[in-house]
Amino acid sequence: MGVLLTHMTSIAEFTLPPADFPLGRLFETRPAVTLELDRIVPSGDTVLPYFWVHDPAGGMESNLEVFAGLPELRSVELLDDLGERGLFSSEWKPEYMGIMSAVPATGVTVLSATGSSEGWRFELRAQRTRQFSDFQQYCAEHDIPVTLRSLSRLSEGTAGARDGLTTDQREALVLAYREGYYDEPRTADQAAVAEKLGISRQALAARLRRGYRNLIERALIHPGDD
């Protein structure tokens, strides 16, 4: 008997214009900045996203001022200032949740979400491909202009199931390795690897970080570890 693909775990990539996500207003005044959602915590009628800001110019306090002026946010806080990187938390007003309301409504899981002045990119996982159709339908009904860029399916025997990496994360890690990014001394930098992938250096850095995190969680962290 054949396996029904609609019941296999699937991963989809959706894109969204930069201004159609609450935090995207930052790109209007800081086009070199990139954002990466770290995790999302549901809270009553809203969500509390934690996100990283990558700004080559630094100045996380000035980025905080921009966020504080957004009408979509109830509150925002700078949790960690690392110079060119800063970790923020915020609370969104429910009427501005947009794509974040489509996630719990359709039962999909956010694997990664990164944004730049070029737009937002979301990697979502679902147990049934039908959920992605429901996701698109929800977005259409709520005027959320998402675009499906790719769809892949995973089985228990695939690499993604074993190492926890998405296709893009694995591609970035493998290419960085082959190009000599991890050699000592390095024979390639992030800019060179990113150019080969056709993405920005900031987007590559985000993929590598997510990939490291997934590999560590799958290979080194075990239930019951302190």
Side-chain angles (χ1 to χ4, degrees):
M1 180 179 295
V3 178
L4 293 176
L5 294 180
T6 53
H7 292 279
M8 296 174 67
T9 299
S10 300
I11 294 176
E13 177 185 328
F14 289 91
T15 56
L16 188 69
D20 287 284
F21 194 70
L23 304 176
R25 299 285 187 88
L26 183 68
F27 305 135
E28 296 176 4
T29 56
R30 289 167 171 77
V33 168
T34 60
L35 276 71
E36 176 190 0
L37 265 67
D38 185 83
R39 59 193 174 96
I40 301 168
V41 180
S43 178
D45 63 347
T46 186
V47 293
L48 302 173
Y50 292 77
F51 57 93
W52 288 96
V53 173
H54 307 269
D55 188 345
M60 290 302 150
E61 290 292 343
S62 62
N63 289 320
L64 177 62
E65 292 176 4
V66 175
F67 289 132
L70 296 181
E72 299 96 331
L73 304 182
R74 284 177 171 168
S75 63
V76 62
E77 181 180 0
L78 175 59
L79 302 177
D80 203 352
D81 187 345
L82 303 177
E84 293 187 2
R85 299 177 63 224
L87 178 63
F88 292 76
S89 69
S90 63
E91 182 179 359
W92 292 0
K93 295 179 182 178
E95 62 267 30
Y96 292 108
M97 283 177 60
I99 194 172
M100 286 297 101
S101 64
V103 170
T106 55
V108 298
T109 300
V110 178
L111 294 179
S112 67
T114 56
S116 70
S117 59
E118 298 175 355
W120 288 89
R121 176 180 168 278
F122 294 84
E123 280 186 315
L124 306 179
R125 182 177 63 207
Q127 295 300 314
R128 295 175 174 81
T129 53
R130 174 67 188 177
Q131 289 173 269
F132 291 135
S133 298
D134 295 339
F135 177 83
Q136 288 179 289
Q137 182 64 31
Y138 182 100
C139 289
E141 292 174 353
H142 293 80
D143 298 319
I144 305 169
V146 299
T147 300
L148 176 64
R149 295 298 184 185
S150 66
L151 175 64
S152 59
R153 298 182 176 90
L154 298 177
S155 66
E156 289 302 318
T158 63
R162 294 194 303 271
D163 57 32
L165 297 175
T166 67
T167 300
D168 285 341
Q169 290 165 3
R170 187 179 304 104
E171 179 186 32
L173 287 166
V174 171
L175 181 61
Y177 174 82
R178 289 175 175 169
E179 292 297 311
Y181 176 70
Y182 300 109
D183 291 350
E184 193 64 43
R186 285 179 175 171
T187 57
D189 58 15
Q190 286 191 0
V193 177
E195 183 177 0
K196 285 183 175 291
L197 288 173
I199 60 177
S200 68
R201 185 193 65 78
Q202 294 90 343
L204 171 67
R207 290 188 190 182
L208 294 178
R209 283 194 303 276
R210 286 285 184 178
Y212 300 150
R213 181 175 179 176
N214 288 347
L215 285 173
I216 291 169
E217 287 181 347
R218 185 60 60 96
L220 303 179
I221 306 300
H222 305 286
D225 286 351
D226 294 332

